[in-house]
Amino acid sequence: MVDEVVRELITDPAGIYLDATVGGGGHAEVISDRLSGAGCLIGFDRDPGALALAQTRLSRFGDRVRFVHADYRNLASILHDLGITAIKGALFDLGLSSLQLDDPGRGFSYRWDSPLDLRFDTTSGPTAADWLRETDEEEIARVLRDFGGERHARRLARAIVRERRGPNGAIETTGQLVRVIDRVIGEDRHSRGRSAARVFQALRIVVNDELAAIPVAIPAALDLLSDGGRLVVLAYHSGEDGLVKSILREAARTCHCARRVGPCVCGANPRGRLVYRKPLRPTAHEESDNPRAKAARLRVFERAQGLSGRES
Ligand SMILES: C[S@@+](CC[C@H](N)C(=O)[O-])C[C@H]1O[C@@H](n2cnc3c(N)ncnc32)[C@H](O)[C@@H]1O
């Protein structure tokens, strides 16, 4: 949804923009192309390898693009340290990139046998293997159910803990985890593949603490938007999209009074408006071109013009 993202995000080609999830630089490249010489893009990513790729890809833009190895939950303090007090737009393209999924060494996919890592930031924090070693059965089952939507969560968690107690002592590789999943799910190849995809998704979300970062980062980005500036969020997972929707609805709410029976007394101060009531979805053409785009939901929020301290 690159065209939609750029169309919704850029309201002033001379503005300062944040790409909070620069990844391989696909969106960042198109955004940078649309900025004038006075415009500037700051690109964050937790993944140093992705940042290095993006840096090479965008080198022709010179100083117009700056890259920061950072977790977007720290965006307020990082932008403050860069001397940036307001931005014209922010993009969050949540989750993992195709580059990460297709990298056999990272452990994001069950298609290759590799170390069970699954961290966006390869320089810090526990890996998925560490998490599976240290977490109890109950919590493993909860994560597989809540973040993966896996209906065999309990049986899988039991099998994972049993494997840990076996001669291998731990689950260190994607192949080892896939064999545990296969034993629980049984013969059907499609069911095994679907369960493996759900288990790997759940592990990725918990290892990178993805859902906790969103309620910190999105309000922080809203606070930094200048009048008429836009926040654009692409989510691919229903849990993420649900969170984004409720944060943006809350930010656009004009009244918090329990019942609108009399005059508003809550003094609500909406920060802007949702540009579309429903999220934008990929076109049928884009879905057939790129099946991974199918789940995408794009939400756009616009900071109110000169509304600070007033109700819309
Ligand atoms: C869907 S990809 C972005 C792809 C990018 N828009 C492009 O066009 O190439 C999401 C990226 O967000 C990064 N990421 C995930 N959580 C992050 C966080 N909390 N802070 C910074 N980057 C994060 C991932 O490492 C990944 O590279």
Side-chain angles (χ1 to χ4, degrees), residues 111-127:
R111 286 175 291 158
W112 297 283
D113 195 5
S114 63
L116 196 59
D117 190 322
L118 283 98
R119 290 170 303 166
F120 290 138
D121 186 349
T122 46
T123 65
S124 70
T127 65

Side-chain angles (χ1 to χ4, degrees), residues 145-208:
R145 192 183 52 241
D146 291 358
F147 298 167
E150 174 53 50
R151 62 193 177 94
H152 302 294
R154 194 152 279 290
R155 285 170 58 215
L156 284 163
R158 199 173 311 132
I160 287 167
V161 169
R162 203 178 310 127
E163 175 78 8
R164 267 180 355 199
R165 296 200 188 111
N168 293 320
I171 301 180
E172 300 285 359
T173 66
T174 54
Q176 205 184 336
L177 179 59
V178 167
R179 286 190 289 281
V180 173
I181 297 169
D182 287 354
R183 282 203 296 274
V184 172
I185 305 300
E187 287 302 301
D188 184 58
R189 203 162 55 86
H190 290 297
S191 307
R192 285 182 355 198
R194 280 197 296 271
S195 280
R198 291 192 283 253
V199 168
F200 276 69
Q201 171 182 286
L203 287 178
R204 192 202 83 216
I205 291 174
V206 74
V207 163
N208 295 291

Side-chain angles (χ1 to χ4, degrees), residues 195-271:
S195 280
R198 291 192 283 253
V199 168
F200 276 69
Q201 171 182 286
L203 287 178
R204 192 202 83 216
I205 291 174
V206 74
V207 163
N208 295 291
D209 198 16
E210 288 178 54
L211 297 184
I214 295 170
V216 177
I218 289 188
L222 290 179
D223 281 346
L224 281 162
L225 285 180
S226 53
D227 286 359
R230 287 189 163 194
L231 176 85
V232 173
V233 187
L234 260 172
Y236 304 83
H237 173 258
S238 57
E240 277 172 354
D241 182 54
L243 258 179
V244 172
K245 179 169 91 175
S246 69
I247 294 166
L248 296 185
R249 281 199 177 159
E250 188 60 26
R253 229 165 113 174
T254 50
C255 178
H256 295 76
C257 296
R259 284 193 171 186
R260 296 305 307 263
V261 284
C264 167
V265 291
C266 70
N269 183 19
R271 286 189 269 183

Side-chain angles (χ1 to χ4, degrees), residues 127-139:
T127 65
D130 296 332
W131 188 83
L132 281 180
R133 190 182 309 111
E134 286 151 17
T135 308
D136 67 34
E137 183 179 322
E138 187 85 2
E139 178 63 2

Side-chain angles (χ1 to χ4, degrees), residues 79 138 312:
L79 292 181
E138 187 85 2
S312 64

Side-chain angles (χ1 to χ4, degrees), residues 19 28-29 54 58 64 71 76 78 97 120 123 135 149 154 195 227 231 248 252 254 275 283 288-289:
D19 182 345
E29 186 172 28
L58 279 81
R64 212 187 301 166
D71 186 326
I78 293 166
S97 68
F120 290 138
T123 65
T135 308
R154 194 152 279 290
S195 280
D227 286 359
L231 176 85
L248 296 185
T254 50
V275 177
T283 59
S288 69
D289 247 19

